[in-house]
């Protein structure tokens, strides 16, 4: 079993590169959708205590829109695309100009649109990662939820529960136009997936 | 509820309260928020249980608050140490949702329902009655439990606020 507390600096760099490759392509996809430049943050790779995981998107109780894909194949894991509610509204009003988008509840059409956007972005994240690493990644159909960040993200870190009180997350955020739009990608590889990721990127683990 | 002292219970954590203090835990998904209350002594306890059984634990030291089968005995012990009586205790619980359902999902991913089942089994062992529960579904919950009256307040995004 890999010991997460003892990842070397270069191993963390490898995982950051994973976030970079994936989110870089996803940001390009979003930029094409919006017809606007989209900036991406430097990926962060951290072993976070459970309690702090949801802080990344505004805290455990923060209402967010999340698109979830379960990834099977060579490196099983969980993939989330998460936006805070007001950014999701922003995104919809930019994609559906002229439509009156209400705060609060979402229609089925709006949820399905957000799900599809998340699917396009997460899909381009995963496919560029698969191309680069030659790993087989099979994402599930996407599922969308409008709920508390803590409840959503805890689903993705369950597998870490039996090993300790923290989980390893590869996070990349994108920003558009001075923070008028912000979204977060979280790739949470299953604890057993790290060896394969390292090997695929040319870092030998004996 | 605003003037009362709030005691936060984190994920995979537990705590006790008395003198009108309020226990709170946020963002319960498949986790279960289990509460115990001694109405005569007004001593309350809450555990944010993440996994059904400590038999799968590979961690050292063991975080007893994380697993249903170890959190409940620990919670009882701490409440008894404060003066509560196990025979007077009443339980309530919320959470245990299935946040996402994917086609072809295996049973091992049904963590929410399994957390609920495991808590029920443990309560039965101690003969603690379950007064009410708000479990299951596919949505998150934030809960507050008052040591003043043993009322469990549940908030969710889709269904607003309810008390049990």
């Amino acid at each position: 079993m890999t010991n997460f507390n003892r990842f070397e600096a270069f191993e963390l760099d490898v995982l950051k590169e994973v976030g970079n490759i994936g989110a870089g392509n996803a940001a390009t996809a979003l930029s094409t959708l919006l017809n606007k430049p989209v900036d991406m943050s430097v990926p962060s790779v951290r072993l976070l205590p459970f309690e702090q995981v949801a802080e990344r998107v505004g805290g455990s109780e923060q209402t967010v829109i999340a698109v979830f894909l379960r990834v099977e194949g060579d490196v099983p894991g969980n993939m989330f695309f998460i936006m805070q509610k007001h950014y999701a509204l922003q995104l919809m009003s930019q994609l559906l100009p002229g439509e009156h988008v209400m705060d609060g509840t979402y229609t089925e059409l709006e949820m399905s649109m957000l799900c599809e956007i998340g699917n396009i972005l997460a899909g381009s994240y995963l496919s560029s990662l698969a191309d680069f690493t030659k790993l087989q990644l099979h994402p599930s159909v996407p599922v969308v939820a409008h709920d508390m960040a803590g409840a959503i993200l805890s689903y993705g870190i369950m597998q870490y529960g039996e090993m300790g009180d923290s989980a390893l997350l590869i996070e990349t955020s994108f920003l558009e136009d001075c923070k008028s739009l912000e979204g977060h990608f979280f790739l949470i590889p299953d604890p057993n997936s790290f060896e394969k990721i390292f090997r695929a990127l040319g870092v030998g683990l004996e | 509820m605003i003037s009362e002292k709030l005691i936060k219970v984190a994920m995979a954590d537990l705590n006790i309260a008395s003198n009108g203090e309020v226990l709170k835990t946020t963002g319960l998904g498949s986790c279960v928020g289990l509460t115990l209350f001694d109405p005569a002594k007004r001593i309350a306890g809450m555990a944010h249980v993440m996994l059904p059984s400590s038999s799968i634990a590979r961690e050292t030291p063991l975080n007893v608050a994380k697993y249903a089968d170890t959190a409940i005995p620990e919670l009882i012990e701490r409440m008894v140490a404060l003066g509560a009586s196990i025979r007077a205790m009443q339980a309530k619980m919320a959470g245990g949702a299935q946040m996402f359902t994917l086609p072809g999902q295996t049973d091992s991913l049904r963590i929410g329902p399994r957390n609920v089942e495991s808590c029920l089994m443990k309560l039965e062992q101690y003969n603690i009655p379950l007064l009410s529960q708000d479990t299951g579904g596919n949505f998150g919950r934030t809960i507050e439990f008052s040591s003043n009256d043993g009322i469990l307040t549940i908030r969710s995004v889709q269904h607003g606020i309810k008390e049990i």
Side-chain angles (χ1 to χ4, degrees):
Chain A
M1 179 56 55
T2 320
N3 189 337
F4 300 107
N5 297 312
R6 293 180 52 203
F7 273 150
E8 304 283 344
F10 73 92
E11 290 171 327
L12 291 178
D13 282 343
V14 167
L15 295 176
K16 277 185 193 161
E17 196 48 31
V18 166
N20 224 349
I21 296 162
N25 260 41
T28 310
L30 182 64
S31 162
T32 311
L33 269 178
L34 293 173
N35 201 19
K36 275 183 188 169
V38 171
D39 287 330
M40 200 182 69
S41 73
V42 176
S44 91
V45 175
R46 266 188 280 184
L47 189 69
L48 284 175
F50 293 150
E51 201 51 25
Q52 284 173 29
V53 168
E55 310 259 304
R56 309 293 305 159
V57 287
S60 180
E61 271 195 284
Q62 175 73 44
T63 306
V64 296
I65 301 289
V67 178
F68 166 71
L69 296 96
R70 171 72 192 163
V71 182
E72 296 292 350
D74 289 338
V75 287
N78 297 314
M79 174 94 209
F80 290 92
F81 172 66
I82 295 186
M83 299 184 91
Q84 288 188 25
K85 219 171 65 173
H86 57 285
Y87 291 124
L89 284 170
Q90 266 294 329
L91 182 63
M92 282 196 292
S93 63
Q94 288 194 26
L95 286 168
L96 296 173
E99 286 283 317
H100 183 60
V101 185
M102 294 275 287
D103 201 353
T105 54
Y106 294 84
T107 64
E108 206 173 310
L109 178 71
E110 287 163 346
M111 284 302 269
S112 129
M113 174 176 143
L114 288 167
C115 185
E116 192 45 35
I117 293 165
N119 189 31
I120 291 168
L121 300 183
S124 67
Y125 185 118
L126 292 169
S127 67
S128 59
L129 184 60
D131 284 350
F132 188 80
T133 56
K134 305 282 184 289
L135 289 167
Q136 298 283 329
L137 302 176
H138 308 295
S140 70
V141 292
V143 200
V144 67
H146 170 211
D147 214 315
M148 298 173 187
I152 287 168
L153 278 165
S154 65
Y155 184 89
I157 59 178
M158 237 1 113
Q159 297 210 18
Y160 286 84
E162 59 200 68
M163 300 171 25
D165 293 330
S166 44
L168 199 137
L169 281 78
I170 303 173
E171 184 204 351
T172 324
S173 311
F174 68 76
L175 293 169
E176 183 252 330
D177 277 6
C178 342
K179 285 203 136 200
S180 75
L181 209 56
E182 188 187 311
H184 304 263
F185 293 99
F186 292 94
L187 179 61
I188 311 174
D190 288 358
N192 296 325
S193 294
F194 288 98
E195 260 183 73
K196 280 183 198 141
I197 295 177
F198 289 141
R199 218 177 293 134
L201 286 162
V203 183
L205 285 180
E206 293 313 313
Chain B
M1 200 165 287
I2 293 152
S3 59
E4 289 152 347
K5 193 187 160 203
L6 264 188
I7 299 174
K8 179 115 202 269
V9 178
M11 187 172 179
D13 183 20
L14 57 80
N15 218 329
I16 52 173
S18 57
N19 298 322
E21 294 164 334
V22 174
L23 292 155
K24 178 177 185 176
T25 196
T26 57
L28 288 166
S30 56
C31 297
V32 168
L34 178 114
T35 63
L36 294 177
F37 186 55
D38 178 335
K41 299 278 174 54
R42 294 192 179 174
I43 295 171
M46 179 188 283
H48 184 140
V49 169
M50 185 181 178
L51 293 167
S53 166
S54 61
S55 62
I56 54 161
R58 286 180 286 159
E59 57 175 334
T60 45
L62 187 76
N63 175 0
V64 291
K66 193 190 297 174
Y67 308 93
D69 63 330
T70 50
I72 293 174
E74 171 75 12
L75 196 59
I76 292 172
E77 201 174 300
R78 288 184 49 185
M79 287 172 66
V80 168
L82 203 68
S85 154
I86 184 163
R87 269 171 303 175
M89 284 183 195
Q90 304 167 336
K92 291 182 180 179
M93 65 177 164
Q98 175 75 27
M99 293 302 294
F100 299 102
T101 309
L102 297 168
Q105 198 161 48
T106 57
D107 192 58
S108 67
L109 289 167
R110 287 177 57 254
I111 293 281
R114 285 169 55 215
N115 279 336
V116 172
E117 286 160 26
S118 184
C119 284
L120 282 173
M121 267 173 57
K122 211 68 201 173
L123 289 173
E124 224 164 85
Q125 263 181 39
Y126 284 95
N127 278 319
I128 297 175
L130 182 76
L131 290 193
S132 53
Q133 59 174 321
D134 179 40
T135 55
N138 62 348
F139 55 92
R141 297 166 171 93
T142 283
I143 58 170
E144 284 185 24
F145 190 56
S146 164
S147 65
N148 193 36
D149 49 16
I151 285 180
L152 183 64
T153 308
I154 302 156
R155 196 178 70 78
S156 64
V157 173
Q158 315 285 353
H159 305 279
I161 294 172
K162 80 185 233 193
E163 286 183 353
I164 65 171

